[in-house]
Amino acid sequence: MTATLPPLRFDPAYEQPEADEAAHIAALTDVFTRMSQTVAEAEGHAHRAVHAKGQGLLKAELQIFEGLPSELAHGLFARPGRHDALVRLSSPPAEQLPDSVSTPRAIALKVLDVEGQRLPGDEEQHTQDFLMVNGPAFSTPGVAGFLRSSKLLAATTERMPRTKKVISATLRTAEAALESVGGQSSTLKGMGGEPQRHPLGETYFSQVPYLYGPFMAKFSLAPVSPALQALHGQALASTDDTQREAVVAFFAALQEPAVWALRVQLCRDLAQMPLEDASVAWPEELSPWQTVAHLIVGQQAAWDPSASPQAEDKLAFAPWHTLAAHRPLGSINRARRVVMQASRTFRSGFNGCPIHEPDGHADDRFTS
């Protein structure tokens, strides 16, 4: 059995921007802004440029463990404690597509009342956000590839909804055949071939790296409680709101709190765990996931049609809402800082609804 290597300390030289990265980010910003404008003009309301369809909006608590080893006791996790949190479940496209167009599942976590040194320009001064998707690696290595795939996505935004349903069903069949022989395709999933499974049974991954104090890491949320684990691989009907209905039904009937493990994977070998190639899943045999906290969600109304959309309009989840100790790393994260800020500015202006940091007590934070 190979001994686990110590975590690597971050060196600024490890970040190597792509050639023409700034131009690619500017073009990507334009693509996503135009997608937002297309959707807003068609629907009369501006949504997020990605992860537009909310499938659940929840109050939660993050419990940070006591006695973490020294390599894990950094940033948000330097001290044990409890924090109120908000959780948003979503689907990635810019449109409010029916769930019969099955795309990857996503989760966003906003930890509240976080103290510590912030990054310059961070408009949220007391939160720590984590964004994750149900796959360990990003669809492209860097911004150039992301720009190419985003242009293809933009070309079909608010077009051919019926055709997308048919294509999604075909792609799900292809993905199921690929998974039956031990493979999978992030391209098929992103185009509508995500298996129609319960989002609460999935394991979620940050896909891209972050500082972890002096080190570098990726994050993950994995189901712990039996009620969540029982949902792993559970098939859903391919209907318009199948994900949201499943999430609402689960939390309405919940007897014991649902628990996820918030996990950390430290970078221990830069050659096999690169910062700039987001398409590489870091090998678990080199760096096993380590649990640093539990995310706990109790029984509640997971979605209120009369209140949740308005609450979503006021909130922004972004990886750059962060402590300096968890600064995002790599080209995809550098692009996100610019693109997501432009998306928030457009969304807020079009809707006439300022986006602001939550305040008050946890029970009030959806309406504050």
PDB file of all heavy atoms in Angstrom, residues 44-64:
ATOM      1  N   GLY A  44     -39.436  37.601 -20.043  1.00  0.00           N
ATOM      2  CA  GLY A  44     -39.807  38.785 -19.281  1.00  0.00           C
ATOM      3  C   GLY A  44     -39.170  38.852 -17.907  1.00  0.00           C
ATOM      4  O   GLY A  44     -39.577  39.670 -17.065  1.00  0.00           O
ATOM      5  N   HIS A  45     -38.173  38.004 -17.680  1.00  0.00           N
ATOM      6  CA  HIS A  45     -37.506  37.978 -16.371  1.00  0.00           C
ATOM      7  C   HIS A  45     -36.094  37.472 -16.592  1.00  0.00           C
ATOM      8  O   HIS A  45     -35.864  36.531 -17.361  1.00  0.00           O
ATOM      9  CB  HIS A  45     -38.247  37.052 -15.402  1.00  0.00           C
ATOM     10  CG  HIS A  45     -37.775  37.162 -13.985  1.00  0.00           C
ATOM     11  ND1 HIS A  45     -38.274  38.111 -13.107  1.00  0.00           N
ATOM     12  CD2 HIS A  45     -36.849  36.448 -13.294  1.00  0.00           C
ATOM     13  CE1 HIS A  45     -37.683  37.968 -11.935  1.00  0.00           C
ATOM     14  NE2 HIS A  45     -36.810  36.975 -12.023  1.00  0.00           N
ATOM     15  N   ALA A  46     -35.128  38.091 -15.919  1.00  0.00           N
ATOM     16  CA  ALA A  46     -33.732  37.681 -16.050  1.00  0.00           C
ATOM     17  C   ALA A  46     -33.397  36.615 -15.011  1.00  0.00           C
ATOM     18  O   ALA A  46     -33.655  36.794 -13.816  1.00  0.00           O
ATOM     19  CB  ALA A  46     -32.802  38.881 -15.875  1.00  0.00           C
ATOM     20  N   HIS A  47     -32.845  35.519 -15.487  1.00  0.00           N
ATOM     21  CA  HIS A  47     -32.406  34.435 -14.614  1.00  0.00           C
ATOM     22  C   HIS A  47     -30.879  34.369 -14.608  1.00  0.00           C
ATOM     23  O   HIS A  47     -30.212  35.089 -15.333  1.00  0.00           O
ATOM     24  CB  HIS A  47     -32.981  33.097 -15.102  1.00  0.00           C
ATOM     25  CG  HIS A  47     -34.475  33.078 -15.166  1.00  0.00           C
ATOM     26  ND1 HIS A  47     -35.272  32.960 -14.045  1.00  0.00           N
ATOM     27  CD2 HIS A  47     -35.326  33.172 -16.232  1.00  0.00           C
ATOM     28  CE1 HIS A  47     -36.538  32.970 -14.413  1.00  0.00           C
ATOM     29  NE2 HIS A  47     -36.606  33.098 -15.729  1.00  0.00           N
ATOM     30  N   ARG A  48     -30.348  33.483 -13.808  1.00  0.00           N
ATOM     31  CA  ARG A  48     -28.914  33.254 -13.807  1.00  0.00           C
ATOM     32  C   ARG A  48     -28.475  32.787 -15.189  1.00  0.00           C
ATOM     33  O   ARG A  48     -29.202  32.069 -15.882  1.00  0.00           O
ATOM     34  CB  ARG A  48     -28.544  32.200 -12.756  1.00  0.00           C
ATOM     35  CG  ARG A  48     -28.690  32.702 -11.329  1.00  0.00           C
ATOM     36  CD  ARG A  48     -28.759  31.561 -10.341  1.00  0.00           C
ATOM     37  NE  ARG A  48     -28.644  32.043  -8.960  1.00  0.00           N
ATOM     38  CZ  ARG A  48     -29.637  32.535  -8.255  1.00  0.00           C
ATOM     39  NH1 ARG A  48     -30.840  32.629  -8.806  1.00  0.00           N
ATOM     40  NH2 ARG A  48     -29.448  32.948  -7.017  1.00  0.00           N
ATOM     41  N   ALA A  49     -27.246  33.173 -15.578  1.00  0.00           N
ATOM     42  CA  ALA A  49     -26.737  32.780 -16.892  1.00  0.00           C
ATOM     43  C   ALA A  49     -26.478  31.281 -16.970  1.00  0.00           C
ATOM     44  O   ALA A  49     -26.485  30.693 -18.058  1.00  0.00           O
ATOM     45  CB  ALA A  49     -25.457  33.546 -17.217  1.00  0.00           C
ATOM     46  N   VAL A  50     -26.236  30.655 -15.839  1.00  0.00           N
ATOM     47  CA  VAL A  50     -26.172  29.202 -15.731  1.00  0.00           C
ATOM     48  C   VAL A  50     -26.912  28.806 -14.456  1.00  0.00           C
ATOM     49  O   VAL A  50     -27.143  29.632 -13.584  1.00  0.00           O
ATOM     50  CB  VAL A  50     -24.723  28.669 -15.689  1.00  0.00           C
ATOM     51  CG1 VAL A  50     -24.054  28.813 -17.039  1.00  0.00           C
ATOM     52  CG2 VAL A  50     -23.909  29.370 -14.613  1.00  0.00           C
ATOM     53  N   HIS A  51     -27.272  27.541 -14.376  1.00  0.00           N
ATOM     54  CA  HIS A  51     -28.007  27.046 -13.205  1.00  0.00           C
ATOM     55  C   HIS A  51     -29.268  27.882 -12.966  1.00  0.00           C
ATOM     56  O   HIS A  51     -29.575  28.272 -11.835  1.00  0.00           O
ATOM     57  CB  HIS A  51     -27.114  27.046 -11.958  1.00  0.00           C
ATOM     58  CG  HIS A  51     -25.828  26.307 -12.163  1.00  0.00           C
ATOM     59  ND1 HIS A  51     -25.761  24.927 -12.236  1.00  0.00           N
ATOM     60  CD2 HIS A  51     -24.562  26.741 -12.334  1.00  0.00           C
ATOM     61  CE1 HIS A  51     -24.504  24.560 -12.438  1.00  0.00           C
ATOM     62  NE2 HIS A  51     -23.764  25.629 -12.507  1.00  0.00           N
ATOM     63  N   ALA A  52     -29.994  28.140 -14.038  1.00  0.00           N
ATOM     64  CA  ALA A  52     -31.121  29.072 -13.956  1.00  0.00           C
ATOM     65  C   ALA A  52     -32.311  28.505 -13.198  1.00  0.00           C
ATOM     66  O   ALA A  52     -32.997  29.232 -12.478  1.00  0.00           O
ATOM     67  CB  ALA A  52     -31.551  29.482 -15.364  1.00  0.00           C
ATOM     68  N   LYS A  53     -32.576  27.214 -13.346  1.00  0.00           N
ATOM     69  CA  LYS A  53     -33.792  26.645 -12.772  1.00  0.00           C
ATOM     70  C   LYS A  53     -33.525  26.141 -11.354  1.00  0.00           C
ATOM     71  O   LYS A  53     -32.809  25.166 -11.156  1.00  0.00           O
ATOM     72  CB  LYS A  53     -34.325  25.508 -13.629  1.00  0.00           C
ATOM     73  CG  LYS A  53     -35.685  24.989 -13.139  1.00  0.00           C
ATOM     74  CD  LYS A  53     -36.288  23.979 -14.101  1.00  0.00           C
ATOM     75  CE  LYS A  53     -37.664  23.526 -13.609  1.00  0.00           C
ATOM     76  NZ  LYS A  53     -38.295  22.560 -14.534  1.00  0.00           N
ATOM     77  N   GLY A  54     -34.125  26.802 -10.379  1.00  0.00           N
ATOM     78  CA  GLY A  54     -33.998  26.353  -8.996  1.00  0.00           C
ATOM     79  C   GLY A  54     -34.880  25.140  -8.747  1.00  0.00           C
ATOM     80  O   GLY A  54     -36.058  25.131  -9.093  1.00  0.00           O
ATOM     81  N   GLN A  55     -34.279  24.106  -8.115  1.00  0.00           N
ATOM     82  CA  GLN A  55     -35.027  22.893  -7.795  1.00  0.00           C
ATOM     83  C   GLN A  55     -35.303  22.770  -6.300  1.00  0.00           C
ATOM     84  O   GLN A  55     -36.046  21.889  -5.875  1.00  0.00           O
ATOM     85  CB  GLN A  55     -34.246  21.653  -8.271  1.00  0.00           C
ATOM     86  CG  GLN A  55     -33.812  21.694  -9.731  1.00  0.00           C
ATOM     87  CD  GLN A  55     -34.975  21.546 -10.701  1.00  0.00           C
ATOM     88  OE1 GLN A  55     -36.144  21.677 -10.340  1.00  0.00           O
ATOM     89  NE2 GLN A  55     -34.667  21.280 -11.956  1.00  0.00           N
ATOM     90  N   GLY A  56     -34.721  23.647  -5.508  1.00  0.00           N
ATOM     91  CA  GLY A  56     -34.949  23.645  -4.071  1.00  0.00           C
ATOM     92  C   GLY A  56     -34.153  24.765  -3.439  1.00  0.00           C
ATOM     93  O   GLY A  56     -33.045  25.080  -3.885  1.00  0.00           O
ATOM     94  N   LEU A  57     -34.734  25.410  -2.414  1.00  0.00           N
ATOM     95  CA  LEU A  57     -34.068  26.484  -1.685  1.00  0.00           C
ATOM     96  C   LEU A  57     -34.304  26.218  -0.205  1.00  0.00           C
ATOM     97  O   LEU A  57     -35.439  26.237   0.263  1.00  0.00           O
ATOM     98  CB  LEU A  57     -34.646  27.838  -2.099  1.00  0.00           C
ATOM     99  CG  LEU A  57     -33.876  29.093  -1.702  1.00  0.00           C
ATOM    100  CD1 LEU A  57     -32.447  29.066  -2.237  1.00  0.00           C
ATOM    101  CD2 LEU A  57     -34.588  30.338  -2.203  1.00  0.00           C
ATOM    102  N   LEU A  58     -33.211  25.958   0.520  1.00  0.00           N
ATOM    103  CA  LEU A  58     -33.315  25.353   1.845  1.00  0.00           C
ATOM    104  C   LEU A  58     -32.497  26.091   2.896  1.00  0.00           C
ATOM    105  O   LEU A  58     -31.429  26.634   2.603  1.00  0.00           O
ATOM    106  CB  LEU A  58     -32.811  23.902   1.785  1.00  0.00           C
ATOM    107  CG  LEU A  58     -33.525  22.975   0.807  1.00  0.00           C
ATOM    108  CD1 LEU A  58     -32.611  21.845   0.380  1.00  0.00           C
ATOM    109  CD2 LEU A  58     -34.785  22.417   1.459  1.00  0.00           C
ATOM    110  N   LYS A  59     -32.995  26.078   4.122  1.00  0.00           N
ATOM    111  CA  LYS A  59     -32.215  26.503   5.290  1.00  0.00           C
ATOM    112  C   LYS A  59     -31.453  25.293   5.809  1.00  0.00           C
ATOM    113  O   LYS A  59     -31.977  24.163   5.811  1.00  0.00           O
ATOM    114  CB  LYS A  59     -33.135  27.062   6.373  1.00  0.00           C
ATOM    115  CG  LYS A  59     -33.914  28.287   5.956  1.00  0.00           C
ATOM    116  CD  LYS A  59     -34.690  28.875   7.124  1.00  0.00           C
ATOM    117  CE  LYS A  59     -35.823  27.961   7.594  1.00  0.00           C
ATOM    118  NZ  LYS A  59     -36.922  27.917   6.606  1.00  0.00           N
ATOM    119  N   ALA A  60     -30.227  25.516   6.257  1.00  0.00           N
ATOM    120  CA  ALA A  60     -29.382  24.405   6.687  1.00  0.00           C
ATOM    121  C   ALA A  60     -28.454  24.859   7.798  1.00  0.00           C
ATOM    122  O   ALA A  60     -28.409  26.045   8.173  1.00  0.00           O
ATOM    123  CB  ALA A  60     -28.574  23.872   5.499  1.00  0.00           C
ATOM    124  N   GLU A  61     -27.700  23.911   8.320  1.00  0.00           N
ATOM    125  CA  GLU A  61     -26.658  24.204   9.303  1.00  0.00           C
ATOM    126  C   GLU A  61     -25.399  23.446   8.910  1.00  0.00           C
ATOM    127  O   GLU A  61     -25.459  22.266   8.539  1.00  0.00           O
ATOM    128  CB  GLU A  61     -27.100  23.777  10.701  1.00  0.00           C
ATOM    129  CG  GLU A  61     -26.048  24.072  11.781  1.00  0.00           C
ATOM    130  CD  GLU A  61     -26.500  23.683  13.176  1.00  0.00           C
ATOM    131  OE1 GLU A  61     -26.370  22.493  13.523  1.00  0.00           O
ATOM    132  OE2 GLU A  61     -26.981  24.576  13.906  1.00  0.00           O
ATOM    133  N   LEU A  62     -24.262  24.124   8.979  1.00  0.00           N
ATOM    134  CA  LEU A  62     -22.969  23.485   8.756  1.00  0.00           C
ATOM    135  C   LEU A  62     -22.279  23.314  10.098  1.00  0.00           C
ATOM    136  O   LEU A  62     -22.050  24.282  10.819  1.00  0.00           O
ATOM    137  CB  LEU A  62     -22.097  24.327   7.827  1.00  0.00           C
ATOM    138  CG  LEU A  62     -20.794  23.634   7.400  1.00  0.00           C
ATOM    139  CD1 LEU A  62     -21.080  22.517   6.396  1.00  0.00           C
ATOM    140  CD2 LEU A  62     -19.817  24.643   6.807  1.00  0.00           C
ATOM    141  N   GLN A  63     -21.938  22.085  10.437  1.00  0.00           N
ATOM    142  CA  GLN A  63     -21.252  21.770  11.687  1.00  0.00           C
ATOM    143  C   GLN A  63     -19.812  21.369  11.367  1.00  0.00           C
ATOM    144  O   GLN A  63     -19.571  20.306  10.784  1.00  0.00           O
ATOM    145  CB  GLN A  63     -21.967  20.646  12.426  1.00  0.00           C
ATOM    146  CG  GLN A  63     -23.376  20.997  12.872  1.00  0.00           C
ATOM    147  CD  GLN A  63     -24.041  19.886  13.666  1.00  0.00           C
ATOM    148  OE1 GLN A  63     -23.478  18.817  13.849  1.00  0.00           O
ATOM    149  NE2 GLN A  63     -25.244  20.140  14.154  1.00  0.00           N
ATOM    150  N   ILE A  64     -18.880  22.235  11.738  1.00  0.00           N
ATOM    151  CA  ILE A  64     -17.456  21.984  11.489  1.00  0.00           C
ATOM    152  C   ILE A  64     -16.896  21.136  12.619  1.00  0.00           C
ATOM    153  O   ILE A  64     -17.099  21.428  13.797  1.00  0.00           O
ATOM    154  CB  ILE A  64     -16.694  23.307  11.358  1.00  0.00           C
ATOM    155  CG1 ILE A  64     -17.267  24.118  10.184  1.00  0.00           C
ATOM    156  CG2 ILE A  64     -15.195  23.057  11.159  1.00  0.00           C
ATOM    157  CD1 ILE A  64     -16.762  25.532  10.107  1.00  0.00           C
TER     158      ILE A  64
END
